[in-house]
């Protein structure tokens, strides 16, 4: 038996992080079924305090997810969930994302990411491979290669 995974990222502002990462990866914020939300509100299953308005849409207050556009709605999709936590990041991540640029120029991508709020941490190489270690706007490490 194989299992699907979801990558969860602790953060301060889930919706801003989801937007940033969706743009970085060329993914999309997962759409919410607004009719379902209407139904849940109408029958009292949820209260309006669980929702926010983000970019003109009702979204869950305490989390946001992204996935590939082609996988929206698929139970087999790869998704990244951003969830708010009260404590700030205080140490190096023990797990991180590696972004393979598929031939795109690493220096150009670094500059684009820095212009959008990422921080360059250091460059590294091993054998024929080289990469840049970066941090997203909330300090979560990732690599581009």
């Amino acid at each position: 038996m194989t299992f699907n995974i979801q990558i969860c990222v602790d953060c301060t502002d889930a919706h801003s992080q989801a937007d940033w990462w969706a743009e970085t990866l060329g993914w999309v914020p997962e759409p919410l079924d607004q009719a379902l939300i209407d139904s849940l509100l109408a029958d009292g299953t949820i209260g309006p305090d669980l929702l926010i308005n983000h970019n003109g849409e009702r979204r869950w207050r305490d989390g946001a997810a992204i996935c590939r556009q082609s996988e929206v709605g698929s139970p087999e999709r790869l998704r990244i969930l951003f969830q708010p936590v009260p404590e700030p990041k205080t140490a190096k991540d023990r797990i991180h994302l590696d972004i393979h640029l598929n031939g795109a120029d690493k220096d150009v991508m670094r500059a684009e990411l820095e212009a959008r709020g990422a921080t360059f941490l250091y460059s590294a190489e091993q054998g024929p491979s080289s990469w840049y270690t970066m941090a997203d706007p909330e300090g979560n490490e990732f690599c581009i290669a």
Side-chain angles (χ1 to χ4, degrees), residues 49-93:
D49 59 315
L50 295 180
L51 302 167
I52 64 164
N53 185 309
H54 181 73
N55 294 337
E57 267 195 321
R58 289 177 299 181
R59 309 292 292 176
W60 298 117
R61 180 191 67 222
D62 289 334
I66 65 172
C67 67
R68 293 178 183 103
Q69 176 71 52
S70 63
E71 296 178 353
V72 168
S74 168
E76 305 296 317
R77 72 194 177 281
L78 176 59
R79 83 195 289 250
I80 302 174
L81 174 68
F82 299 88
Q83 54 193 16
V85 295
E87 69 278 355
K89 181 180 178 300
T90 58
K92 183 183 182 319
D93 296 344

Side-chain angles (χ1 to χ4, degrees), residues 5-111:
I5 65 165
Q6 166 177 269
I7 300 166
C8 297
V9 178
D10 291 348
C11 57
T12 301
D13 184 340
H15 297 281
S16 292
Q17 280 289 93
D19 290 345
W20 193 88
W21 277 102
E23 184 176 342
T24 296
L25 297 174
W27 291 16
V28 296
E30 283 191 338
L32 295 181
D33 183 339
Q34 298 296 311
L36 174 63
I37 290 174
D38 288 338
S39 172
L40 294 172
L41 286 165
D43 70 14
T45 301
I46 65 168
D49 59 315
L50 295 180
L51 302 167
I52 64 164
N53 185 309
H54 181 73
N55 294 337
E57 267 195 321
R58 289 177 299 181
R59 309 292 292 176
W60 298 117
R61 180 191 67 222
D62 289 334
I66 65 172
C67 67
R68 293 178 183 103
Q69 176 71 52
S70 63
E71 296 178 353
V72 168
S74 168
E76 305 296 317
R77 72 194 177 281
L78 176 59
R79 83 195 289 250
I80 302 174
L81 174 68
F82 299 88
Q83 54 193 16
V85 295
E87 69 278 355
K89 181 180 178 300
T90 58
K92 183 183 182 319
D93 296 344
R94 295 293 304 258
I95 188 170
H96 66 269
L97 301 179
D98 281 350
I99 301 171
H100 296 265
L101 300 177
N102 297 328
D105 187 285
K106 186 173 61 189
D107 293 313
V108 170
M109 179 60 97
R110 172 185 162 181

